[in-house]
């Protein structure tokens, strides 16, 4: 299992774009927002938590179609499916690798982008916490979408259509934590809900993903 | 080669599962469909005419309240259609009856139209009532999310060529989607309270409709249910015929 | 362990392609799978490897015993030869990749990125992967594609060594590997005819 994680990380590093692309997209979205809504700092600081969450979510979505497609094309998925490693575990590890290469950099970069959007000072901590708790769910749910669409040519758009509605609860609670944190309200309820979703998704989603992938492999 | 000399059918007409045989299902649906069309037309006609023309105007809402006869039944069917798809998907996963998978496929476009009707009539109703076509009310938002789920489900069916693979994948999506739809409903409730401090706009009219409105509404709902059943049976029949044509062509090509 | 296949029916896209297939693959034996293109050799191998379900019939002794190699080798262009091999070795629980490198003469290429290898070299690397799986039954689908005569000889030697160690192999191929005592299984007689298509996914609609 460690071998698969290390391989995916090494591939993401060497093939380039693994770390950089999502991050660059996140930066661009954040920079473009003020051009769209105007530079008033009080407006920006009010919408900053939501924009940052939305940007992170879209950046995460951007790399999902590569999550399984490359392994599908070169036959690695066939070989993994016949290996002693359960497919559920293999998919979970691929989701973890996706989070480390995409989600984690977003979490770390979010405070810097928060400065650009004039995020209020108490909001930084909760923004980082909410993203750290919520983005793993994005990767795991995205892995399910990738498993569903791996056999479809040009499945990228379909993948977005399938995955985005599944992202709604995570987005709602995640952005709510960040927003409440920014205005100094109690964050406990949405934070617990967000953590609950992430844990539930981690526990159950790999089974659905593996079921979908097995159908696609046969 | 004749089509009729197939293996003998098990003689168990009493079992519900015997209708999972496509041929038997077709025969059954052809028998009941005319009655269903007529009944649903009668119910819809009576319910809507009664509702539109023979009920008094509401003292607060005026005549706009009458859109309830389209809005509530379609909203109800939008949810029930998804629920039916969930049950059909489960039957396909567990018992591998092709009719079940095709029924789920057939129900999705009907469900999405019902959702659309509910959203549009809601907007038309909402405009004079709240002065806006759209508000991010939890119910409206949930329906919008349901609409997206329907779109994804239909798109997945369309994207995959092999019918059994498509049936499997859409069934998994339907199961996962159902869990997330429920989750979204609660999330949206939470989110809206979080933003608006108590929902001032409630669409929950069912508790406070008077009897004069209630009875024609029941008839209209019955009409929508019958229409839905008829449409799904009809569309399932079409899907079965498509697969049948495909099977015959495959057999032709191989002989 | 003997792989026993009894009355197997395999399908491609819901349509049966091979029906009533029975054979045994004994320890230390190799079986060459023959049949024209599209006769269902690949489908049979994929079914035996557990990648797709069979329509009917019984497969015994296949669980976690099979190393499968198909047209695509599952190689990562951005990893070196040794990294590719040791990855699969770790997945299958074997970390010693030296015998595999030795057997397929990959020593000179070991630090090259797999993406820079020629087609034949990639193929050799893909076949070397079989040795790091430690699995007793090899299921090979056209293993000699793009191999030159010398590499085919390397491959045949590796198969013989594998058989001598108590392994077995089921190989779909059109060329003569020089495996003298290998049985030949021609799938042509088992091809599904149109009236023996019971169980087809569309059959229910007829």
């Amino acid at each position: 299992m460690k071998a698969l994680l290390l391989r995916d990380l090494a591939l993401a590093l060497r093939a380039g774009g693994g770390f950089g692309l999502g991050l660059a997209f996140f930066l661009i979205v954040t920079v473009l927002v003020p051009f769209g809504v105007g530079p008033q700092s009080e407006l920006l600081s009010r919408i900053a938590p939501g924009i940052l969450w939305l940007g992170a979510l879209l950046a995460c979505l951007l790399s999902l179609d590569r999550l399984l497609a490359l392994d599908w094309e070169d036959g690695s998925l066939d070989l993994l499916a016949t290996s002693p490693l359960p497919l559920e575990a293999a998919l979970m590890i691929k989701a973890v690798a996706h989070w480390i290469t995409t989600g984690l950099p977003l979490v770390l970069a979010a405070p810097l982008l928060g400065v650009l959007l004039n995020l209020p000072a108490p909001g930084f901590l909760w923004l980082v916490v909410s993203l750290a708790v919520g983005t793993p769910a994005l990767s795991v749910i995205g892995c399910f979408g990738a498993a569903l669409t791996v056999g479809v040519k040009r499945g990228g758009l379909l993948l977005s259509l399938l995955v985005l509605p599944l992202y709604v609860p995570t987005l709602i609670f995640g952005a709510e934590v960040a927003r409440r944190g920014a205005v100094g309200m109690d964050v406990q309820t949405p934070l617990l809900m967000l953590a609950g979703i992430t844990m539930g998704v981690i526990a159950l989603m790999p089974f659905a993903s593996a079921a979908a992938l097995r159908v696609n492999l046969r | 080669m004749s089509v009729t000399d197939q293996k003998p059918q098990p003689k168990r007409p009493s079992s519900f599962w015997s209708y999972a045989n496509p041929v038997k299902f077709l025969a059954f649906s052809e028998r009941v469909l005319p009655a269903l069309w007529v009944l649903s037309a009668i119910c819809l006609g009576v319910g809507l005419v009664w509702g539109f023309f023979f009920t008094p105007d509401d003292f607060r809402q005026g005549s706009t309240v009458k859109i309830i006869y389209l809005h509530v039944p379609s909203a109800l069917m939008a949810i029930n259609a998804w629920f039916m798809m969930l049950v059909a998907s489960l039957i396909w996963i567990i018992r591998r009856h092709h009719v079940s998978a095709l029924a789920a496929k057939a129900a999705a476009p009907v469900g999405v139209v019902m959702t659309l009707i509910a959203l549009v009539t809601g907007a038309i109703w909402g405009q004079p009532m709240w002065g806006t076509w759209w508000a991010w009310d939890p119910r409206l938002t949930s329906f919008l999310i349901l609409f997206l789920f329907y779109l994804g489900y239909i798109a997945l069916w369309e994207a995959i060529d092999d019918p059994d693979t498509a049936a499997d994948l859409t069934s998994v999506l339907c199961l996962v989607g159902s869990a997330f739809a429920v989750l979204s409903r609660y999330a949206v409730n939470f989110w809206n309270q979080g933003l608006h401090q108590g929902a001032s706009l409630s669409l929950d009219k069912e508790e406070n409709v008077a009897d004069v409105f209630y009875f024609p509404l029941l008839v209209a709902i019955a009409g929508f249910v019958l229409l839905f059943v008829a449409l799904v049976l009809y569309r399932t029949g079409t899907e079965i015929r498509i697969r049948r044509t495909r099977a015959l062509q495959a057999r032709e090509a191989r002989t | 362990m003997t792989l026993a296949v009894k009355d197997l029916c395999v399908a491609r896209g819901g349509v049966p392609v091979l029906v009533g297939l029975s054979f045994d693959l004994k320890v230390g034996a190799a079986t060459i799978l023959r049949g024209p293109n599209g006769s269902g050799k690949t489908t049979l191998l994929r079914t035996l490897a557990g990648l797709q379900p069979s329509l009917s019939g019984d497969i015994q002794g296949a669980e976690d015993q099979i190393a499968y190699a198909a047209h695509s080798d599952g190689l990562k262009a951005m990893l070196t030869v040794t990294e590719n091999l040791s990855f699969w070795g770790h997945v299958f629980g074997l970390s010693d990749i030296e015998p595999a490198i030795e057997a397929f003469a990959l020593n000179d290429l070991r630090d090259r990125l797999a993406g820079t290898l020629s087609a034949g070299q990639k193929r050799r690397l893909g076949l070397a992967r079989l040795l790091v799986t430690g699995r007793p039954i090899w299921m090979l689908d056209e293993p000699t594609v793009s191999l030159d005569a010398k590499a085919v000889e390397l491959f045949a030697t590796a198969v013989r060594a594998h058989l001598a160690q108590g392994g077995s192999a089921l190989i779909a191929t059109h060329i003569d590997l020089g495996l003298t005592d290998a049985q030949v299984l021609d799938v042509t007689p088992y091809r599904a005819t149109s009236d023996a298509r019971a169980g087809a996914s569309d059959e229910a609609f007829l």
Side-chain angles (χ1 to χ4, degrees):
Chain A
M1 290 171 82
K2 209 177 88 195
L4 180 59
L5 183 62
L6 291 177
R7 181 190 77 146
D8 274 14
L9 293 181
L11 283 174
L13 265 179
R14 287 189 204 170
F19 283 98
L21 203 61
L23 214 50
F25 182 81
F26 191 25
L27 174 72
I28 289 168
V29 168
T30 315
V31 170
L32 287 181
V33 166
F35 297 132
V37 303
Q40 298 87 351
S41 57
E42 67 278 15
L43 172 66
L44 284 178
S45 69
R46 209 172 73 237
I47 62 172
I51 296 298
L52 290 170
W53 248 92
L54 204 57
L57 188 146
L58 293 176
C60 207
L61 194 68
L62 197 66
S63 51
L64 280 180
D65 58 337
R66 285 163 46 115
L67 184 60
L68 295 176
L70 298 179
D71 280 345
W72 165 267
E73 280 158 17
D74 65 19
S76 297
L77 282 180
D78 280 347
L79 302 178
L80 272 179
T82 56
S83 78
L85 196 63
L87 207 51
E88 286 83 359
L91 284 170
M92 190 64 221
I93 291 171
K94 292 198 82 69
V96 170
H98 178 260
W99 181 74
I100 293 177
T101 54
T102 310
L104 192 58
L106 296 178
V107 175
L108 299 178
L112 287 177
L113 299 178
V115 175
L116 286 181
L117 291 183
N118 210 17
L119 187 71
F124 284 92
L125 172 66
W126 294 114
L127 177 70
V128 172
V129 168
S130 68
L131 281 172
V133 173
T135 45
L138 300 183
S139 288
V140 176
I141 297 171
C143 186
F144 170 67
L148 273 180
T149 55
V150 73
V152 181
K153 286 196 183 63
R154 297 179 204 284
L157 199 61
L158 179 65
L159 176 63
S160 313
L161 184 62
L162 296 181
V163 163
L164 280 177
L166 301 179
Y167 277 176
V168 168
T170 307
L171 176 63
I172 286 178
F173 289 117
E176 185 70 10
V177 171
R179 191 191 66 83
R180 287 192 182 191
V183 294
M185 281 164 67
D186 179 32
V187 298
Q188 193 188 11
T189 317
L191 187 59
L192 287 179
M193 290 299 287
L194 184 66
I197 289 173
T198 302
M199 284 190 244
V201 160
I202 288 174
L204 298 174
M205 220 49 169
F207 295 97
S209 312
L213 186 57
R214 283 201 185 93
V215 170
N216 269 323
L217 282 178
R218 66 177 194 221
Chain B
M1 176 183 293
S2 99
V3 180
T4 47
D5 60 0
Q6 293 297 305
K7 47 194 177 291
Q9 305 293 340
K11 280 256 181 251
R12 281 184 304 135
S14 54
S15 164
F16 168 71
W17 297 112
S18 66
Y19 292 104
N21 176 300
V23 180
K24 200 147 181 210
F25 178 87
L26 272 186
F28 168 75
S29 67
E30 268 163 20
R31 223 171 38 242
V32 298
L33 263 178
L36 276 175
W37 291 125
V38 172
L39 269 178
S40 68
I42 292 174
C43 281
L44 280 178
V46 170
L48 293 183
V49 170
W50 184 1
F52 286 154
F53 300 111
F54 299 98
T55 54
D57 287 355
D58 185 76
F59 68 98
R60 270 181 306 144
Q61 305 196 17
S63 57
T64 46
V65 74
K66 292 179 176 181
I67 205 163
I68 197 174
Y69 299 109
L70 287 174
H71 183 71
V72 170
S74 60
L76 205 64
M77 289 324 291
I79 295 169
N80 286 350
W82 184 274
F83 188 68
M84 181 231 128
M85 281 157 54
L86 173 64
V87 173
S89 298
L90 277 173
I91 294 176
W92 161 250
I93 289 178
I94 296 166
R95 299 195 56 141
R96 316 287 304 171
H97 291 315
H98 286 88
V99 173
S100 178
L102 293 181
K105 182 185 184 184
V110 185
V112 82
V113 171
M114 291 291 180
T115 314
L116 211 55
I117 294 176
L119 284 171
V120 170
T121 53
I124 295 171
W125 192 3
Q127 212 287 325
M129 286 303 102
W130 315 329
T132 171
W133 295 99
W134 180 262
W136 289 94
D137 172 270
R139 284 206 168 197
L140 290 180
T141 313
S142 303
F143 263 79
L144 197 59
I145 295 170
L146 183 65
F147 183 68
L148 296 179
F149 273 112
Y150 271 120
L151 287 189
Y153 180 87
I154 295 170
L156 190 60
W157 262 111
E158 294 304 319
I160 296 164
D161 300 326
D162 182 73
D164 279 2
T165 306
D168 280 332
L169 293 178
T170 50
S171 296
V172 175
L173 178 67
C174 188
L175 256 61
V176 173
S178 302
F180 274 86
V182 173
L183 201 57
S184 301
R185 178 82 179 96
Y186 286 103
V188 163
N189 267 341
F190 174 83
W191 160 81
N192 188 280
Q193 280 176 359
L195 284 178
H196 293 297
Q197 280 96 36
S200 48
L201 308 173
S202 171
L203 279 181
D204 209 341
K205 291 282 182 286
E206 274 153 270
E207 279 93 344
N208 49 22
V209 259
D211 280 357
V212 261
F213 300 117
Y214 189 62
F215 291 115
L217 182 59
L218 277 189
V219 180
I221 288 175
F224 266 82
V225 171
L226 288 167
L227 180 66
F228 173 76
V229 173
L231 282 171
V232 170
L233 283 183
Y234 184 71
R235 289 181 52 84
T236 310
T238 309
E239 295 290 343
I240 289 175
R241 287 190 179 89
I242 292 172
R243 286 293 294 276
R244 198 175 145 79
T245 313
R246 221 184 70 117
L248 288 171
Q249 278 171 345
R251 171 180 281 187
E252 284 288 299
R254 292 177 65 90
T255 43
Chain C
M1 185 161 186
T2 306
L3 175 77
V5 173
K6 234 169 135 185
D7 206 18
L8 187 71
C9 175
V10 299
R12 182 176 50 224
V15 179
V17 286
L18 294 174
V19 178
L21 188 65
S22 301
F23 68 93
D24 283 348
L25 188 60
K26 296 215 168 52
V27 172
T31 298
I32 307 292
L33 214 51
R34 290 205 201 277
N37 290 338
S39 60
K41 299 188 296 293
T42 298
T43 309
L44 174 63
L45 289 173
R46 285 182 71 84
T47 307
L48 290 175
L51 284 169
Q52 57 182 67
S54 60
L55 277 185
S56 61
D58 192 33
I59 305 169
Q60 272 183 352
E63 188 78 9
D64 283 341
Q65 303 291 321
I66 289 177
Y68 171 75
H71 308 288
S72 42
D73 294 313
L75 300 176
K76 289 294 171 193
M78 295 306 290
L79 294 183
T80 65
V81 169
T82 42
E83 280 170 330
N84 267 302
L85 269 184
S86 62
F87 163 67
W88 288 111
H90 277 110
V91 168
F92 283 88
L94 290 182
S95 43
D96 186 17
I97 59 168
E98 290 311 315
I101 287 190
E102 191 99 346
F104 285 91
L106 293 167
N107 210 15
D108 297 341
L109 305 169
R110 55 194 306 154
D111 290 326
R112 286 262 296 275
L113 289 180
T116 65
L117 300 180
S118 75
Q121 288 168 332
K122 274 185 195 158
R123 194 71 210 163
R124 262 152 64 198
L125 177 53
L127 292 169
R129 188 186 57 82
L130 291 168
L131 287 172
V132 302
T133 60
R135 291 268 173 98
I137 305 174
W138 288 1
M139 298 260 160
L140 311 179
D141 196 355
E142 301 289 358
T144 54
V145 172
S146 61
L147 289 184
D148 59 19
K150 216 174 120 201
V152 170
E153 191 42 51
L154 278 177
F155 167 66
T157 312
V159 173
R160 274 193 289 269
H162 177 64
L163 298 179
Q165 287 166 15
S168 53
L170 183 62
I171 307 170
T173 183
H174 291 284
I175 68 159
D176 184 18
L177 292 173
L179 299 169
T180 42
D181 46 357
Q183 293 170 318
V184 171
L185 176 68
D186 193 338
V187 297
T188 318
Y190 302 101
R191 291 183 75 173
T193 50
S194 53
D195 52 338
R197 310 195 320 122
S201 81
D202 280 342
E203 185 75 9
F205 294 92
L206 292 174

